[in-house]
Amino acid sequence: LNTLVKDENLKKTIEEMKSHEKEHCDYFESEIKKRNIKPTKLLPLWDLIGVGLGFGSATLGKKAAMLCTASVEEVIDKHYLNQINQLDSGEKNLKEKIKKFRKDEMHHKNIAYEEGATKKGIYFFLDKAIKTGSKIAISISEKI
């Protein structure tokens, strides 16, 4: 992170985003255990691809890295909204957590656009590729 981000304010913002993502991950991991749900078998692969995507987009520059963040957050936003709409009234606590996490993700997306994310030119194709990959990963994970 230090070598990729020279701007101290942006570095601090990214660290804050990272803490949100850890909170989300820890919560869902706890719920998976509590509910005795088997997590996707592909989690190690998704972790590896996620790290690769993050570093790969960062090597293309700040705009690409910010677009990567925005693109993933837009897919997660729709996924969370779908989950919120499917949960019944007996899942009030889970529903409220997902609403809070969705708000965090939208904040991350907004920051990414403020920091230079764009879908113009070649970035249009990067956005489509990232979104398509993210949707496929979610869809596969729901089945495997």
Side-chain angles (χ1 to χ4, degrees):
L1 182 63
N2 290 336
T3 58
L4 296 175
V5 182
K6 307 257 187 277
D7 179 334
E8 287 300 318
N9 287 333
L10 181 57
K11 193 182 307 183
K12 186 175 159 188
T13 300
I14 291 172
E15 288 294 337
E16 183 181 309
M17 287 185 200
K18 183 179 170 185
S19 73
H20 288 159
E21 299 301 342
K22 181 169 177 4
E23 175 191 356
H24 302 178
C25 185
D26 290 348
Y27 176 78
F28 288 125
E29 284 179 358
S30 171
E31 286 298 304
I32 285 170
K33 286 178 186 168
K34 185 167 44 171
R35 295 166 185 255
N36 203 24
I37 299 169
K38 284 188 173 184
T40 177
K41 294 174 183 153
L42 298 174
L43 191 57
L45 176 62
W46 300 150
D47 286 343
L48 184 63
I49 291 171
V51 168
L53 183 60
F55 278 107
S57 64
T59 61
L60 296 175
K62 183 179 173 183
K63 278 187 181 182
M66 291 297 106
L67 177 61
C68 179
T69 298
S71 299
V72 170
E73 301 300 19
E74 287 170 4
V75 171
I76 296 298
D77 170 42
K78 288 183 178 142
H79 176 66
Y80 278 173
L81 188 57
N82 185 39
Q83 297 298 310
I84 290 164
N85 290 334
Q86 287 183 20
L87 287 170
D88 63 36
S89 59
E91 292 286 2
K92 188 174 188 241
N93 290 339
L94 178 59
K95 200 175 212 177
E96 290 306 312
K97 274 291 190 185
I98 294 174
K99 284 180 182 179
K100 186 254 188 232
F101 294 164
R102 181 174 178 247
K103 186 177 173 184
D104 290 344
E105 303 297 3
M106 297 317 307
H107 179 64
H108 300 168
K109 179 197 75 161
N110 293 338
I111 289 169
Y113 282 114
E114 288 167 11
E115 291 294 335
T118 181
K119 294 180 186 177
K120 294 179 183 172
I122 192 83
Y123 297 106
F124 171 83
F125 299 103
L126 182 60
D127 173 62
K128 294 298 177 202
I130 292 168
K131 283 183 176 173
T132 299
S134 297
K135 289 174 188 174
I136 290 169
I138 290 170
S139 180
I140 291 171
S141 294
E142 289 175 339
K143 292 170 182 54
I144 297 178

